[in-house]
């Protein structure tokens, strides 16, 4: 029997933006489809959150292995280290930053996981 994917958490942010509401509802509907995890809907909402609501993204979580790894690579903390050596703040590969942000957007959508 296929496992039903978890349902997203409807936080206050969902109703504060018409696009969020629309994408969230699409994700919730798709989550009832037992054929699998609604990757496309999840990614669409994450991408919108990263593009429009960066301030909403939660900080790294102590209980998440991915967060702990990414925090170690956080461009800001790397820049601080290099600042002490009077080097210009380096930029990590942009795609890494984006994956990081998309991952944290997932924590916002599934706040209880
Ligand atoms: Zn939105
Ligand atoms: Zn995480």
């Amino acid at each position: 029997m296929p496992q039903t994917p978890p349902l997203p958490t409807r936080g206050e942010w969902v109703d504060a933006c018409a696009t969020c509401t629309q994408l969230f509802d699409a994700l919730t509907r798709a989550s009832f489809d037992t054929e699998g995890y609604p990757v496309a809907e999840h990614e669409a909402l994450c991408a919108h959150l990263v593009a429009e609501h960066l301030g909403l993204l939660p900080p790294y979580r102590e209980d998440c292995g991915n967060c702990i790894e990414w925090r170690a690579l956080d461009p800001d903390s790397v820049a601080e280290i290099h600042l002490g050596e009077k080097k210009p703040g380096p930029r990590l590969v942009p795609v890494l930053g984006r994956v990081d942000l998309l991952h944290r957007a997932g924590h916002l959508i599934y706040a209880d996981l």
Side-chain angles (χ1 to χ4, degrees):
M1 190 170 165
Q3 211 185 349
T4 310
L7 288 179
T9 316
R10 193 176 194 103
E12 281 179 17
W13 57 271
V14 175
D15 297 305
C17 164
T19 307
C20 283
T21 306
Q22 190 187 344
L23 292 171
F24 187 91
D25 287 343
L27 175 61
T28 304
R29 273 197 306 275
S31 298
F32 286 108
D33 174 2
T34 52
E35 301 217 352
Y37 184 76
V39 174
E41 287 80 2
H42 179 248
E43 286 181 350
L45 180 53
C46 284
H48 169 71
L49 284 167
V50 170
E52 303 290 338
H53 307 291
L54 267 186
L56 283 176
L57 298 187
Y60 296 108
R61 278 171 56 156
E62 301 287 341
D63 59 350
C64 170
N66 282 335
C67 281
I68 290 166
E69 274 182 38
W70 269 314
R71 188 177 53 187
L73 296 171
D74 188 298
D76 291 337
S77 50
V78 175
E80 272 174 25
I81 295 164
H82 283 250
L83 228 62
E85 299 168 5
K86 298 200 166 129
K87 285 182 190 167
R91 298 297 307 162
L92 291 185
V93 188
V95 74
L96 174 66
R98 183 169 168 77
V99 171
D100 172 347
L101 293 171
L102 289 171
H103 171 80
R104 280 153 66 192
H107 281 315
L108 180 66
I109 297 169
Y110 297 100
D112 298 330
L113 289 190

